[in-house]
């Protein structure tokens, strides 16, 4: 769930684009549409950053993470 502080914002948003997003998402309000779109944008960017790590982490097939936890 998204928690926000009520800060009035004046943005010039493309009405046609917003209407398409609102319809595609099934949102009742413009506010809900924008909030969900922002949350999805952030999630997408974070996933992209994680994807950049593929191939950079050393993988050890025989590593036993459960045994490693027991040692601690």
């Amino acid at each position: 769930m998204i928690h926000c502080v009520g800060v009035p914002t004046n943005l010039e948003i493309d009405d046609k684009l917003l209407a398409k997003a609102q319809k595609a998402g099934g949102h009742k309000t413009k506010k809900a549409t924008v909030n969900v779109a922002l949350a999805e944008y952030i999630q997408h960017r974070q996933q992209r950053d994680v994807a950049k790590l593929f191939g950079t982490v050393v993988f050890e097939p025989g590593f036993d993470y459960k045994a490693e936890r027991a040692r601690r």
Side-chain angles (χ1 to χ4, degrees):
M1 187 68 188
I2 299 171
H3 300 287
C4 61
V5 177
V7 179
T9 304
N10 185 15
L11 298 172
E12 289 187 33
I13 299 175
D14 183 323
D15 287 332
K16 290 180 183 178
L17 190 60
L18 183 57
K20 279 179 145 180
Q22 191 171 355
K23 184 177 179 180
H27 305 291
K28 293 182 180 182
T29 65
K30 292 178 181 179
K31 178 180 177 179
T33 304
V34 171
N35 284 334
V36 169
L38 288 171
E40 288 179 1
Y41 176 81
I42 292 166
Q43 182 180 27
H44 174 75
R45 290 292 178 140
Q46 289 172 337
Q47 287 172 346
R48 190 184 66 178
D49 292 343
V50 168
K52 288 178 185 176
L53 296 175
F54 285 109
T56 64
V57 177
V58 177
F59 176 71
E60 296 181 32
F63 181 73
D64 185 357
Y65 69 93
K66 290 183 180 179
E68 191 65 29
R69 285 183 187 164
R71 291 182 192 163
R72 294 180 187 177

